[in-house]
Amino acid sequence: MRKTFKYRLYPTRKQEALLIRQLEECRWLYNHFLEHRRDAWDWYGAGLSLYTQIGTLPSLKKIRPALETVYSQTLQSVAVRIDLAFQAFFRRVKTGEDPGYPRFKGKGPYSSLTFPQWNSGCDLTGKGLSKIGTVPVILHRPVEGKVKTCTVLRSSTGKWWVSLSCEDVPETVLPSNPLPVGIDVGIKTFASLSDGTAIENPTFLKHSAKRLAQAQRKLALQEKGSSERARIKKVVAKIHERIAFKRSDFAYQEARKIVNAYGRIFVEDITVNEMNSHRCLNRSIRDVAWSQFFLFLSYKAENAGREFRKVNPAYTSQTCSSCGHRQKMPLSCRTYVCPCCGMEKDRDHNASLNILRLGLSSRG
């Protein structure tokens, strides 16, 4: 299987200045390639291919010598990013969507450097990064498998990270466990399991809302372009970053507990982006991060040799898990009372039992 390992980098001030300079050169190149594609279509009605743009790099280096400070394959990866952006744009056009045209990158959005080949311009222990040197890194866990690509990125808070994409990562198969479980996610309760277990919602965003609002009000009062605005903007970014760290850590731990305890895991196949249109609940839906939880759960289950399957969530909250009777259930009603068989269960627990039934029936 393929897996990504992320580590924290601690570059020196000189190394950080060189990294920022390389990011600026890649950003300039990205905007240059985008402008050429746009002009070629406007003037000649034809597009430019990936390899055509890569072939212009030697002449561009003569016009802009600063490009020589960036590793050659990293410059080529910029052209790959442009090509992928246009592929996604035309694919969405063909499906009938109305996508936005690829945009020019400002100073902030371009924040990563990609080295397509390991030990070719990038290494953590030997020569380090090309034209940068060996950058101190915290290897909090060993790298597994064969490293294919290396990406150095800078977060909005100024922290530097390195992501190593590895393939042929050995699986950590757990002992066989036939115990199945259905999982219903929600807002009041983060997740309800079919065995009656309920995982409480930590509401990380709600607990930090007051501090975040104070920082955002201070940011709104500052003059655009001032150093004080940049400082407070970083404070706001740190609050968001801390919330994201807490949320992902919580999802990791709960996913690991479920994978260790159950052998067959069934969840709802929900589209979170469509649910975010709910005006009253969109902030709470984003805070629980169901998609992130399902992602962690799926790859941990695969790595452990567990079964993971998504089922259609239609009517799981409206159907009685005991007799199959269906009735309307408004969100304000938290207890399911069946008028046919008299069953009375928590709304989310009843839905998790229906998810388990659908999951087992889908397996045949």
Side-chain angles (χ1 to χ4, degrees), residues 110-280:
Y110 203 98
S111 57
S112 62
L113 303 168
T114 300
F115 298 87
Q117 289 183 321
W118 181 244
N119 283 334
S120 180
C122 60
D123 189 2
L124 295 182
T125 56
K127 297 181 180 179
L129 302 177
S130 176
K131 307 180 189 298
I132 299 293
T134 304
V135 183
V137 59
I138 301 297
L139 295 173
H140 60 277
R141 58 175 175 170
V143 181
E144 302 175 12
K146 182 179 179 182
V147 182
K148 297 297 291 183
T149 63
C150 169
T151 301
V152 177
L153 55 97
R154 186 192 189 197
S155 67
S156 57
T157 58
K159 296 178 182 177
W160 292 90
W161 306 85
V162 59
S163 292
L164 305 178
S165 180
C166 306
E167 65 178 13
D168 299 331
V169 178
E171 296 182 354
T172 309
V173 180
L174 296 177
S176 178
N177 184 354
L179 190 62
V181 65
I183 303 175
D184 176 73
V185 292
I187 295 176
K188 184 178 180 180
T189 303
F190 177 77
S192 293
L193 278 57
S194 55
D195 62 359
T197 305
I199 303 174
E200 295 300 321
N201 185 2
T203 60
F204 295 116
L205 181 60
K206 185 178 180 180
H207 290 160
S208 303
K210 184 176 179 181
R211 186 182 178 191
L212 180 61
Q214 291 174 347
Q216 288 176 330
R217 281 196 294 267
K218 288 182 180 179
L219 179 65
L221 296 174
Q222 304 305 318
E223 183 181 354
K224 291 186 178 180
S226 64
S227 58
E228 185 65 13
R229 181 180 175 86
R231 185 187 70 82
I232 299 178
K233 188 177 181 180
K234 195 172 182 179
V235 172
V236 175
K238 284 185 177 180
I239 297 174
H240 279 295
E241 183 184 59
R242 193 173 294 111
I243 294 171
F245 284 164
K246 290 179 180 180
R247 188 183 292 127
S248 61
D249 181 65
F250 172 80
Y252 269 122
Q253 293 188 27
E254 295 302 328
R256 171 49 58 193
K257 292 176 184 177
I258 292 173
V259 170
N260 288 344
Y262 304 97
R264 292 178 288 172
I265 304 167
F266 307 106
V267 300
E268 303 170 274
D269 187 9
I270 56 178
T271 305
V272 178
N273 288 336
E274 294 180 359
M275 302 176 68
N276 282 330
S277 59
H278 198 295
R279 186 175 180 181
C280 299

